[in-house]
Amino acid sequence: DARVTQTPRDKVTEMGQEVTMRCQPILGHNTVFWYRQTMMQGLELLAYFRNRAPLDDSGMPKDRFSAEMPDATLATLKIQPSEPRDSAVYFCASGLGEREETQYFGPGTRLLVL
Amino acid sequence: AQSVAQPEDQVNVAEGNPLTVKCTYSVSGNPYLFWYVQYPNRGLQFLLKYITGDNLVKGSYGFEAEFNKSQTSFHLKKPSALVSDSALYFCAVFPGADKLIFGTGTRLQVFP
């Protein structure tokens, strides 16, 4: 049963600290998406990659957020420095991109910045 | 502008009754349409999608959705609701160019 995995599942940190979230897409999927979910804003697309190349990161605060795909099996989302307003659930999703539009979501990382 | 609307923040239904969760969209052309479900503390889970063909699409867990091009709607339905169907439901549209556009979500509450 292929799944998207995310680590950590929960993260509590203090304001100003660096936070790194990791995602392992489904093997063979070439498109990876990062979303953020909050009660106020709902589901927001932060960035996405195709074949490891960033295609759109317009939804991401550039000054503190960065997203990378060091290899095809790992995507990372970093926040440095973190702020209380970054508290949210961060989801990774993967898909086959142009061949198939369905996205498959991971379980999320619940981030709390104190 | 391309958008998806879910006009109801919450839908309440008694177990055993039929349910409908509404979705309308504003996208040019012939978009692909999706429904996802999110259970507490979980990621979004794909339920069903419409690409072309029969306007009634069947998906997981007994759900189905009806595509209506003239009304630009894609309502989610189930003939008989279960308490375990209680969750957050998202409608999404794929207008092309990679990204899904999600609605704001509708919370479905099924009462015993």
Side-chain angles (χ1 to χ4, degrees):
Chain A
D1 184 23
R3 298 186 183 196
V4 176
T5 59
Q6 290 185 248
T7 56
R9 291 295 312 273
D10 289 279
K11 176 72 175 180
V12 181
T13 191
E14 293 186 346
M15 183 174 62
Q17 296 298 304
E18 177 178 301
V19 175
T20 298
M21 291 169 269
R22 294 176 175 81
C23 166
Q24 182 172 15
I26 293 173
L27 188 64
H29 283 189
N30 66 348
T31 307
V32 174
F33 302 82
W34 282 106
Y35 290 90
R36 176 170 64 184
Q37 186 178 36
T38 61
M39 289 293 291
M40 294 299 294
Q41 300 295 329
L43 197 62
E44 303 173 273
L45 177 65
L46 297 175
Y48 77 99
F49 294 77
R50 168 77 45 78
N51 296 322
R52 297 176 55 199
L55 290 190
D56 187 348
D57 62 0
S58 59
M60 206 163 63
K62 303 290 193 303
D63 56 339
R64 299 183 299 107
F65 284 60
S66 62
E68 296 179 344
M69 280 202 75
D71 61 59
T73 63
L74 177 64
T76 62
L77 180 66
K78 291 186 181 181
I79 308 174
Q80 169 62 22
S82 58
E83 297 181 1
R85 59 179 167 155
D86 301 329
S87 298
V89 182
Y90 291 81
F91 290 106
C92 174
S94 73
L96 288 168
E98 293 164 338
R99 288 180 286 151
E100 168 59 64
E101 312 72 25
T102 306
Q103 295 179 21
Y104 298 88
F105 282 73
T109 293
R110 185 178 302 272
L111 174 65
L112 178 61
V113 183
L114 301 174
Chain B
Q2 299 170 334
S3 64
V4 176
Q6 293 182 243
E8 302 152 317
D9 288 337
Q10 180 153 332
V11 170
N12 299 317
V13 64
E15 187 174 33
N17 282 1
L19 69 88
T20 298
V21 183
K22 295 180 181 177
C23 172
T24 59
Y25 64 92
S26 176
V27 175
S28 58
N30 298 309
Y32 300 166
L33 298 158
F34 294 77
W35 276 101
Y36 283 80
V37 59
Q38 185 179 25
Y39 298 102
N41 300 315
R42 300 279 191 92
L44 278 68
Q45 187 174 329
F46 170 74
L47 265 184
L48 53 80
K49 69 179 177 183
Y50 172 84
I51 295 179
T52 187
D54 192 347
N55 289 344
L56 189 64
V57 180
K58 294 190 184 298
S60 306
Y61 311 122
F63 283 92
E64 55 191 25
E66 186 169 13
F67 170 65
N68 187 317
K69 187 171 183 177
S70 63
Q71 297 185 0
T72 61
S73 67
F74 189 55
H75 300 333
L76 182 69
K77 301 182 179 185
K78 188 173 183 181
S80 179
L82 299 172
V83 173
S84 58
D85 293 330
S86 298
L88 187 58
Y89 290 80
F90 289 93
C91 181
V93 60
F94 180 78
D98 296 330
K99 292 184 281 189
L100 283 175
I101 300 172
F102 284 91
T104 52
T106 297
R107 188 163 301 281
L108 173 67
Q109 190 71 46
V110 181
F111 295 96

